[in-house]
Amino acid sequence: MISTTLDYTTFFRIPADKPGEEGGTITIEKEAEERSPEEEEYILCRQCHQAITKPADRIAMQGSHRHTFANPHGIVFEIGCFRSVSGCGYAGVASDDFSWFAGYSWRVCLCTMCLTHLGWKFSMTGGEHFHGLILDRLIEPG
């Protein structure tokens, strides 16, 4: 089990008792606390904030997590590669045409909540697969 701790300090300004006076500042520090599994961080759909994947699911394909590709229409996408997703569905049949990863076919990947196009699922014959998600359509935790 991985434990994540969180330390933070909060500052509150005390209002002045009389006009023309300056108030003071109170500092409240919260001690480190363990994050419960329910509070695990997710990468979210930028459109609807549905949980899509986890930072721990990032993987490198062809030597890198991030890739920049253009489709046949000249639209450029910066994608990140992920082992698995939880908030995506798929549209269309798998295609080998114009695949950015040799030996992989692709299907369009959509957010199951708002149907935003989030990227592609890349699959090989035999079941090996990964997801290439469009990075500017996601919100990273933190």
Side-chain angles (χ1 to χ4, degrees), residues 23 36 58 113 135:
S36 70
R58 289 184 184 106
M113 182 79 70
L135 296 174

Side-chain angles (χ1 to χ4, degrees), residues 3-107:
S3 173
T4 306
T5 59
L6 176 66
D7 290 313
Y8 62 87
T9 303
T10 305
F11 297 95
F12 293 99
R13 186 151 186 68
I14 301 171
D17 289 333
K18 298 178 187 170
E21 285 184 359
E22 284 193 35
T25 302
I26 296 175
T27 304
I28 299 174
E29 293 186 31
K30 187 168 184 176
E31 292 186 25
E33 59 185 39
E34 289 194 23
R35 189 175 294 238
S36 70
E38 298 84 37
E39 297 177 54
E40 191 169 3
E41 291 185 330
Y42 283 88
I43 296 171
L44 309 176
C45 171
R46 183 170 299 281
Q47 183 68 30
C48 69
H49 295 190
Q50 160 137 303
I52 300 299
T53 189
K54 298 175 187 175
D57 286 327
R58 289 184 184 106
I59 59 170
M61 294 301 295
Q62 298 176 348
S64 181
H65 165 67
R66 288 177 174 252
H67 299 270
T68 303
F69 296 113
N71 71 11
H73 302 288
I75 301 169
V76 177
F77 297 96
E78 183 176 13
I79 65 169
C81 299
F82 295 87
R83 178 179 306 109
S84 64
V85 298
S86 58
C88 289
Y90 308 99
V93 296
S95 175
D96 296 327
D97 295 343
F98 306 105
S99 181
W100 294 326
F101 297 93
Y104 287 86
S105 60
W106 55 269
R107 289 181 73 189

